[in-house]
């Protein structure tokens, strides 16, 4: 989607925006209901925003990225009930494969 594009499906609105400086990016993350982020820096900033998030980790040789993802999910999901944890983990694994 080119920057400036908006796609709406029912109550879901997807906005493609240009790159932002870090202050603007943080403000954006804080203002969203959920954040889909890519890469480790954005992932950390999305955690600081304290909003629901989905992380798309950069692929690495020999699936090393999946080891990082699994390690994070083990910590992140420790306090969730098993059904929510399993759903979140299944979604993140599928999103990253």
């Amino acid at each position: 989607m080119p920057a400036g594009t908006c796609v709406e499906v029912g109550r879901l609105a997807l906005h493609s925006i240009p790159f932002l400086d870090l202050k603007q990016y943080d403000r954006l993350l804080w203002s969203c209901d959920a954040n889909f982020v890519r890469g480790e820096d954005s992932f950390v900033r999305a955690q600081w925003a304290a909003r629901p998030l989905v992380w798309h980790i950069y692929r690495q040789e020999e699936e090393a990225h999946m080891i990082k993802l699994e390690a994070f999910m083990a910590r992140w999901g420790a306090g969730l009930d098993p059904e929510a944890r399993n759903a979140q983990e299944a979604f993140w694994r599928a999103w990253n494969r």
Side-chain angles (χ1 to χ4, degrees):
M1 279 179 28
T5 303
C6 178
V7 175
E8 294 186 34
V9 179
R11 293 180 50 166
L12 175 66
L14 301 173
H15 299 270
S16 179
I17 59 172
F19 285 102
L20 304 170
D21 68 37
L22 291 178
K23 272 189 161 176
Q24 292 172 317
Y25 185 57
D26 287 339
R27 193 172 300 119
L28 174 68
L29 292 173
W30 299 333
S31 67
C32 291
D33 295 322
N35 292 299
F36 285 68
V37 296
R38 184 147 199 246
E40 293 178 0
D41 291 342
S42 294
F43 174 57
V44 169
R45 300 190 95 78
Q47 290 176 69
W48 291 342
R51 299 285 191 265
L53 69 104
V54 178
W55 181 25
H56 187 261
I57 191 168
Y58 286 110
R59 294 185 70 84
Q60 296 174 332
E61 289 183 24
E62 299 179 15
E63 299 276 307
H65 62 290
M66 294 305 288
I67 295 168
K68 292 178 187 178
L69 182 68
E70 293 295 330
F72 176 76
M73 289 190 308
R75 286 186 172 259
W76 183 263
L80 297 176
D81 72 59
E83 187 175 348
R85 180 180 180 159
N86 291 340
Q88 181 259 325
E89 288 179 357
F91 182 77
W92 280 32
R93 284 185 190 110
W95 192 256
N96 280 281
R97 291 213 185 263

